[in-house]
Amino acid sequence: MIGILILILLGAPALASAGSIVFRRARAAEALNLAAGVISFLVSIGLVILAGNRETLFLGGYVFIDMIGAWVILCAAIVYVLASIYAVGYMRLLDEEPRLPGFYALFSLFAFTILAGPLMNNAGLYWVAIELTTLVSTFLVAFEREASSIEAAWKYIIVVSGGISIGLLGTVILYWGGSFVLGPTYDLTWGTLKGIAPKINPAILTLSFLLALVGYGTKVGLAPMHTWLPDAHSESPAPVSAMLSGALLNTAMLGIVRFLSIMDASQIGALPRNAMVGLGLLSVFVGAFFIVRQRGIKRLMAYSSVEHMGIMALGFGFGGPLGIAGALYHMLNHSLNKSLMFFGAGNAMRAYGRKDIGGISRVTDRLPAQAALWLAGAAAITGAPPFGLFLSELVIIRAGLSASYHIVVYAVLIMMIIIFVGFINHFRSMYFEPGSGNAAPPVALDAWCIAPMWLAFLPLLAFGLWWPQSFWTYFATVSQALTGTLP
């Protein structure tokens, strides 16, 4: 049954991509992509329900599903279906009708690569999947063909490919270390690597992890390797920005978590977790100070992604049932919240014809159907109650205190205050101060642009008011599988 679901999960976006190329009609392409998004989302729910605490292998062990992989797929599929709905309305506003089939072919293929990554049961194949996400999404970043978007695409592919090459080097060194245990040829599966980790030279293990952390951390957008992220996220079409932030970053984070799990199995000491916590804290610092000084609306959302990936890294770095539960819950809520925020930013940019915060003013007058919704999303993205990110951040803070990272926790709390003040101040200016953006001619935003914002906001609010007990049980089992810690 699970094998059939995986086949459908990957087959739906692959067929949608091929169909968009074959039919070459905009409406057919958007319908195929939307159908693939819905199917992928429904299948991802089934995978989370059916994934047990033991890995299930397919295709000779090259493809597998485990609980954390199923969770990452669910988060990615949520963003995919929401972005596919939003894309129907947003992409029609760009007046690029002849190019839309090509866009949807790439968009579906991008979703395919993101969904395939967590299924790779081989460290080398996982690297290939992550690199494919870069190659496909580069064309989506540059889709609008403006000088700034083309520059962002070049920066994206150069910086990220360079970083991913470092991750490949870490994988090669890990394989080399394992060759002293199993011989020159063996299966590079995650389970095999965890099994032999205690027998690998600790220096080799540590070096391989640090290289993987830097390499995949570049793709995640952890500071100081985050330099590509603000440009790529801000210059992409809004549905692509949502996929980059809410889906792709999670898939890349999974690679770091799998390497960290190997380090835990080796009982090598605190260095790997301290390195993870250090980069997480630095990312929160960078995100906070750039959020305060930001002038572009989508760049504001992009630096928020740097911050939240840092918080997620802190959760995984703190470890234990609380840290992992907080990080995984944060992953879900961030995917919902960042989709909401990029959709709102895309609507504002279309309505005002501007990308700068100073050019967007009196949002309640220009966008009455979404003004309150977008403002609530802005409060949620800062970690304010009663939304889901507040609960996940609270649990991560508890995990840090339990793991005796007190100074780190206090620093993060200060940064959260700065982020809240900075973010809300930007929205205050857009909502209540006069600006130069009202001169733009009005643009009609249909239900395709508004509905996905509600679909993201409602569960975000629900998960802030109620953390399902089934999620706690699920996360505790994931924690046990990753670290061997009893729930």
Side-chain angles (χ1 to χ4, degrees):
M1 180 63 181
I2 296 181
I4 296 175
L5 291 180
I6 290 177
L7 183 62
I8 296 173
L9 176 76
L10 299 180
L15 291 175
S17 179
S20 299
I21 296 174
V22 170
F23 292 112
R24 300 299 301 174
R25 295 203 308 271
R27 297 298 168 264
E30 67 185 21
L32 286 170
N33 179 70
L34 181 57
V38 173
I39 292 170
S40 298
F41 169 63
L42 296 175
V43 169
S44 69
I45 296 176
L47 288 177
V48 168
I49 294 173
L50 295 177
N53 56 5
R54 297 177 61 89
E55 299 172 355
T56 305
L57 306 179
F58 304 96
L59 297 179
Y62 288 102
V63 174
F64 83 136
I65 188 71
D66 61 353
M67 294 183 72
I68 189 172
W71 186 260
V72 173
I73 288 171
L74 172 64
C75 295
I78 289 172
V79 181
Y80 180 33
V81 69
L82 292 175
S84 296
I85 297 170
Y86 181 76
V88 174
Y90 181 87
M91 298 307 296
R92 292 177 183 178
L93 297 175
L94 298 185
D95 195 25
E96 294 279 4
E97 197 79 4
R99 298 177 60 216
L100 288 186
F103 169 83
Y104 284 111
L106 288 169
F107 195 77
S108 301
L109 189 59
F110 185 34
F112 170 85
T113 58
I114 292 175
L115 296 171
L119 296 170
M120 297 297 102
N121 189 31
N122 181 290
L125 289 179
Y126 172 79
W127 179 87
V128 171
I130 294 297
E131 182 63 12
L132 285 175
T133 64
T134 304
L135 297 177
V136 175
S137 55
T138 296
F139 296 99
L140 291 170
V141 172
F143 179 79
E144 295 187 19
R145 292 182 176 178
E146 297 179 358
S148 56
S149 61
I150 294 174
E151 179 184 354
W154 275 109
K155 187 174 183 179
Y156 170 52
I157 194 169
I158 291 172
V159 173
V160 172
S161 293
I164 290 297
S165 297
I166 295 175
L168 177 61
L169 179 59
T171 303
V172 171
I173 290 176
L174 181 58
Y175 183 86
W176 173 63
S179 69
F180 293 105
V181 181
L182 297 178
T185 304
Y186 63 94
D187 293 331
L188 195 62
T189 63
W190 300 113
T192 298
L193 293 172
K194 286 184 68 174
I196 64 174
K199 301 177 183 179
I200 299 178
N201 184 293
I204 295 176
L205 271 178
T206 301
L207 178 60
S208 67
F209 173 76
L210 293 177
L211 290 172
L213 178 60
V214 172
Y216 291 117
T218 303
K219 190 74 172 185
V220 172
L222 295 177
M225 297 84 67
H226 68 286
T227 53
W228 64 271
L229 190 148
D231 295 294
H233 284 39
S234 63
E235 296 301 331
S236 308
V240 178
S241 299
M243 286 287 285
L244 286 169
S245 180
L248 175 60
L249 302 187
N250 296 335
T251 297
M253 178 67 78
L254 180 60
I256 299 177
V257 174
R258 294 205 190 280
F259 269 86
L260 185 61
S261 179
I262 296 171
M263 298 301 108
D264 288 337
S266 71
Q267 299 180 343
I268 202 169
L271 177 59
R273 291 196 173 276
N274 288 340
M276 189 100 167
V277 169
L279 285 185
L281 179 61
L282 179 60
S283 300
V284 175
F285 267 93
V286 170
F289 286 110
F290 276 92
I291 283 172
V292 170
R293 299 178 59 84
Q294 202 47 241
R295 295 294 179 264
I297 183 59
K298 287 180 71 178
R299 291 181 72 87
L300 177 66
M301 308 307 164
Y303 278 109
S304 174
S305 296
V306 174
E307 173 229 340
H308 284 287
M309 288 300 108
I311 291 174
M312 202 180 300
L314 288 174
F316 286 120
F318 293 152
L322 281 178
I324 291 173
L328 292 177
Y329 203 51
H330 200 78
M331 185 181 291
L332 172 64
N333 288 301
H334 178 257
S335 294
L336 290 165
N337 207 161
K338 197 51 63 68
S339 297
L340 165 62
M341 296 309 294
F342 272 116
F343 297 160
N347 289 348
M349 288 170 54
R350 292 300 112 196
Y352 287 85
R354 300 283 292 273
K355 294 182 179 181
D356 58 306
I357 293 174
I360 299 173
S361 61
R362 302 293 184 184
V363 174
T364 51
D365 296 336
R366 181 63 68 93
L367 302 170
Q370 71 172 73
L373 184 60
W374 197 31
L375 184 60
I381 204 67
T382 65
F387 303 101
L389 288 175
F390 171 75
L391 284 186
S392 57
E393 290 180 355
L394 183 63
V395 171
I396 290 173
I397 288 171
R398 288 177 56 196
L401 294 175
S402 298
S404 299
Y405 286 96
H406 297 87
I407 295 178
V408 173
V409 169
Y410 299 149
V412 169
L413 288 173
I414 294 173
M415 290 303 102
M416 286 181 177
I417 295 173
I418 294 174
I419 289 166
F420 177 82
V421 173
F423 222 96
I424 297 304
N425 183 58
H426 289 310
F427 272 75
R428 177 195 58 80
S429 68
M430 290 190 292
Y431 274 65
F432 303 111
E433 289 185 1
S436 59
N438 286 326
V443 175
L445 299 173
D446 57 22
W448 291 107
C449 293
I450 307 300
M453 295 181 67
W454 281 104
L455 292 175
F457 174 78
L458 292 176
L460 182 66
L461 176 61
F463 291 146
L465 299 173
W466 171 58
W467 186 322
Q469 181 59 40
S470 58
F471 283 10
W472 276 112
T473 304
Y474 194 95
F475 298 154
T477 307
V478 171
S479 174
Q480 187 176 14
L482 289 175
T483 66
T485 304
L486 293 175

